[in-house]
Amino acid sequence: MLPFIKANPLQKVSQDLRHDLLDMIYKNGGHIGGSLSSIDLITAVYFGNLFNFKKDHFILSAGHLAPALYTVLANAGYFSKKLLDTYSSFDSILQHHISRDVPGVEYSSGSLGQGLSFACGLALGNPKHTTICLTSDGEHQEGQIWESLLFAKKYKLGNLINIVDFNQFQIDGPVSEIMPLDNLAAKYIQFGWTVTTVDGHNFNQIISALKNAKKSDYPNCIIAKTTIGKGVSFMENNFKYHDVKNLSEVLYNQAKSEL
Amino acid sequence: MTNSIRQSFGDTLTKLAKNNKNIFVVNADLKSSLFLNDFAKKFPRCFIECGVAENNAAAIAAGLAQTGKTVFLTSFACFSPAINWNTIKQSICYNNSNVKIIGSHAGLMSTDLGATHQMLEDLALMRSLPNMEVFSPLDALETEKIVKTVSFSKKPAYIRLVRPSTQNLFDPKFDFTIGKSHILQPGKNITIIGHGPILEEAFQVQAKLNLDDKYKKITLEIINCSSIKPLDTTTILKSVKKTGRLICLEDHQKNGGLGEAVASLILTNNLSCKFIHLAVDNSFGRSAKTYQELYNYYGIGVNDLLSAVKKIILK
């Protein structure tokens, strides 16, 4: 008989967030695939009682995952949830790609590969607090990522955590076909980072990895194996749902019932 | 009397850092070239070395700035802002970070290094970015004044430096103010506007005119436009209204240079004037032993300016 494992309470939190996220993207379009793969990671960062974002920092390097972060920030009370309805609209502060005009956001981004460098700068300038960065796996094709890995090792940025949303897809298809990253963990280790690989939808694993990373003296990478479109069967592992413009009512209703 | 603009930069920053522990340098392996050895030795905690990784350096600078530092991002102009333009756009300008980009070895003045190192497009790249202010100091003294001034500002800025020692032209009585130009020599007939040490040619041309019976009554109004963005619209428009003739002189491509900014300003204000833009015209640079050889080859030398003066006076 399998031992009874108590469900992590964050599971319920992220389930509610997924509903908000889906509603937001149904109304306005957006990068749903990566938002659904990364939202558990962002939920753990903000609702896991590990960090204090009056002092610690969170940088979303993969700026197209803005819907996930906006949803988390709205539910964490940074701004009214009503604003989510205005996402990506002309008169909204909720820009399509993440924008620091939004309360709680520290870094505007959308062009990939820069956020981890920015996070290194923050970690260096604010050594007593933790800087967490979220990058995507496809983003690692940008050369600048590797420049920042060298830098973090050289300056011994033990207060830096990079979470990789490893969902194995990018806009045109599987990462393994577009430009394989092969053994990403081995590459990080070679660059002098501490690496933990987790199931990016298992809160116990994510929280435990974050706790260990917080204590570490070395820059830390958490490779989170995730599923693009997680929670909605027809979106899972389907790169067509990297970004949606018009989700039909039928599919929306199906997605809602599955969540 | 000549002095080094680059040395002035390094010395000024080292002096400023004595009283301001928040001044940081983020460098891309050109510490010696930017006269920052002393800074790095005296303030090792504030000197961040990124190696030849200009994109990373630009975003590191922006992240550090977010923690309350005033960050000087130092390299050659042909690498920063040339390689890392989009990182400057997003991480520095869009995020409105307190980063001052120092692009050394700009223009044909980097001489023997040739086309790859003669950055002739930096002003075009930097002028086009929202939130970015753009400066091109006339000489070593103005470099000091500009570096001091921007160190008190929180805005992103680009400062263009050149390689050789250059003529001292800046009047010590003047202060540098963002958005203000200085009239180095008042005149009646032709406005000569430019930026950087190349403006020295205007004084040489005036001396030649003074010796020529046919032209000795012509006086040039020489304007040092070190604040390229924002522009000093008042001084420029007033001078052009007076003279009706304008020559813009710069060690940069015509495309995207100061000449375009000034021409646009004049047209926007419903003025018209005779106009010659002396700048590198859609060409790459090349090696030479002296920059004067290059200035003559690319049509921005003293004789080219003299010819332009004689031509525009007849127009």
Side-chain angles (χ1 to χ4, degrees):
Chain A
M1 194 179 148
L2 288 168
F4 175 72
I5 299 169
K6 204 176 143 207
N8 191 302
L10 291 176
Q11 202 72 52
K12 174 75 177 79
V13 175
S14 89
Q15 195 182 351
D16 292 346
L17 290 172
R18 276 192 165 77
H19 279 280
D20 288 346
L21 176 67
L22 183 67
D23 291 350
M24 174 179 173
I25 289 179
Y26 175 57
K27 287 188 187 103
N28 304 296
H31 288 81
I32 193 157
S35 292
L36 285 171
S37 70
S38 63
I39 198 160
D40 292 340
L41 305 169
I42 303 176
T43 300
V45 167
Y46 276 88
F47 293 106
N49 289 321
L50 292 171
F51 305 105
N52 171 6
F53 287 109
K54 286 191 176 93
K55 292 170 178 169
D56 298 316
H57 308 280
F58 180 73
I59 300 302
L60 183 62
S61 185
H64 61 288
L65 306 181
L69 182 54
Y70 288 155
T71 305
V72 169
L73 290 176
N75 279 280
Y78 282 88
F79 54 86
S80 162
K81 272 178 72 174
K82 281 186 200 151
L83 265 185
L84 295 178
D85 289 345
T86 69
Y87 172 64
S88 201
S89 306
F90 167 68
D91 56 353
S92 175
I93 58 165
L94 299 190
Q95 293 296 297
H96 192 97
H97 290 85
I98 199 75
S99 164
R100 71 205 292 266
D101 287 346
V102 178
V105 177
E106 278 201 75
Y107 176 66
S108 302
S109 148
S111 185
L112 296 173
Q114 299 182 29
L116 188 56
S117 303
F118 188 89
C120 287
L122 272 177
L124 185 69
N126 198 354
K128 293 200 175 124
H129 300 285
T130 307
T131 296
I132 304 138
C133 183
L134 183 80
T135 50
S136 70
D137 48 358
E139 185 173 9
H140 283 69
Q141 292 159 0
E142 290 282 0
Q144 188 173 348
I145 290 277
W146 306 93
E147 296 178 4
S148 61
L149 297 195
L150 291 173
F151 184 90
K153 149 87 170 28
K154 178 188 170 189
Y155 281 93
K156 302 183 178 68
L157 300 178
N159 58 336
L160 176 68
I161 303 171
N162 180 29
I163 307 174
V164 185
D165 175 25
F166 200 93
N167 68 25
Q168 302 186 68
F169 286 92
Q170 57 192 103
I171 195 163
D172 271 353
V175 173
S176 59
E177 286 175 21
I178 305 284
M179 183 51 69
L181 296 171
D182 297 327
N183 190 340
L184 188 62
K187 290 184 169 76
Y188 266 87
I189 290 165
Q190 189 65 43
F191 274 72
W193 285 52
T194 298
V195 183
T196 316
T197 300
V198 300
D199 171 350
H201 301 298
N202 179 319
F203 281 102
N204 292 331
Q205 286 190 27
I206 304 167
I207 293 289
S208 154
L210 284 170
K211 272 186 187 160
N212 287 332
K214 222 181 141 178
K215 284 186 289 196
S216 164
D217 292 330
Y218 299 92
N220 247 274
C221 176
I222 298 174
I223 297 178
K225 299 250 163 108
T226 56
T227 303
I228 184 175
K230 176 74 179 176
V232 180
S233 60
F234 60 90
M235 294 185 187
E236 287 192 2
N237 295 314
N238 183 351
F239 67 87
K240 300 283 180 225
Y241 285 94
H242 174 88
D243 186 7
V244 292
K245 296 277 180 292
N246 297 299
L247 192 63
S248 73
E249 197 182 338
V250 174
L251 286 178
Y252 167 72
N253 286 331
Q254 187 190 333
K256 283 293 269 188
S257 65
E258 288 184 17
L259 291 176
Chain B
M1 179 71 178
T2 62
N3 272 311
S4 163
I5 281 180
R6 288 184 290 142
Q7 175 141 29
S8 171
F9 162 71
D11 291 352
T12 304
L13 206 61
T14 308
K15 264 185 239 159
L16 285 169
K18 272 180 202 155
N19 299 316
N20 184 349
K21 61 178 176 26
N22 281 324
I23 288 185
F24 272 63
V25 169
V26 171
N27 182 52
D29 194 30
L30 287 164
K31 177 174 66 178
S32 304
S33 290
L34 282 139
F35 291 85
L36 289 167
N37 287 327
D38 199 28
F39 183 102
K41 209 170 170 184
K42 285 184 174 141
F43 313 106
R45 190 187 60 86
C46 301
F47 183 82
I48 309 302
E49 178 59 75
C50 292
V52 280
E54 294 78 11
N55 278 295
N56 187 47
I60 294 280
L64 262 177
Q66 183 102 331
T67 67
K69 322 292 185 206
T70 299
V71 185
F72 285 79
L73 173 67
T74 52
S75 181
F76 287 178
C78 59
F79 309 131
S80 172
I83 291 172
N84 53 6
W85 183 82
N86 184 47
T87 308
I88 293 171
K89 177 186 167 186
Q90 175 174 294
S91 291
I92 296 177
C93 290
Y94 190 43
N95 282 279
N96 211 4
S97 306
N98 185 8
V99 177
K100 321 302 177 189
I101 300 155
I102 307 297
S104 178
H105 286 52
L108 294 170
M109 274 194 170
S110 52
T111 313
D112 58 319
L113 298 175
T116 55
H117 284 56
Q118 289 159 348
M119 185 61 187
L120 299 169
E121 300 82 13
D122 53 332
L123 300 178
L125 294 178
M126 294 293 94
R127 275 182 58 218
S128 59
L129 289 174
N131 289 344
M132 180 63 79
E133 296 184 329
V134 181
F135 309 109
S136 176
L138 180 66
D139 65 3
L141 177 59
E142 196 181 26
T143 302
E144 178 187 334
K145 298 205 177 228
I146 291 177
V147 170
K148 275 186 191 162
T149 303
V150 300
S151 77
F152 296 113
S153 149
K154 297 277 181 212
K155 290 182 182 170
Y158 172 63
I159 306 176
R160 165 185 239 240
L161 306 183
V162 297
R163 184 187 187 193
S165 284
T166 59
Q167 203 77 40
N168 293 332
L169 297 167
F170 195 80
D171 186 338
K173 291 196 295 289
F174 285 151
D175 275 325
F176 172 80
T177 310
I178 292 171
K180 288 280 172 230
S181 285
H182 286 131
I183 298 177
L184 300 175
Q185 171 185 295
K188 288 196 297 277
N189 309 99
I190 305 168
T191 302
I192 311 279
I193 189 163
H195 57 87
I198 196 172
L199 264 177
E200 192 254 335
E201 291 182 0
F203 291 95
Q204 286 192 48
V205 167
Q206 182 69 68
K208 285 179 195 281
L209 295 173
N210 294 347
L211 295 172
D212 188 327
D213 281 346
K214 195 177 165 193
Y215 296 105
K216 67 183 176 192
K217 287 189 177 158
I218 292 172
T219 55
L220 307 175
E221 179 144 290
I222 306 171
I223 301 180
N224 168 30
C225 190
S226 49
S227 181
I228 288 169
K229 189 183 167 209
L231 271 181
D232 183 351
T233 55
T234 314
T235 302
I236 296 167
L237 293 173
K238 199 175 152 195
S239 178
V240 169
K241 266 185 204 164
K242 178 173 72 177
T243 63
R245 292 180 171 83
L246 171 67
I247 298 173
C248 183
L249 175 68
E250 57 185 326
D251 183 351
H252 185 274
Q253 298 282 359
K254 275 189 183 178
N255 292 325
L258 172 66
E260 282 191 358
V262 171
S264 165
L265 172 72
I266 289 167
L267 288 173
T268 307
N269 284 276
N270 300 315
L271 288 179
S272 72
C273 69
K274 314 284 188 260
F275 177 61
I276 295 176
H277 189 185
L278 289 183
V280 178
D281 193 3
N282 205 30
S283 302
F284 286 110
R286 55 171 61 229
S287 293
K289 294 283 181 241
T290 68
Y291 68 81
Q292 285 87 353
E293 290 173 90
L294 295 169
Y295 278 16
N296 292 336
Y297 180 80
Y298 289 98
I300 58 172
V302 180
N303 288 329
D304 300 298
L305 181 59
L306 182 62
S307 304
V309 163
K310 289 178 177 173
K311 194 170 154 193
I312 206 168
I313 208 76
L314 295 174
K315 271 192 176 181

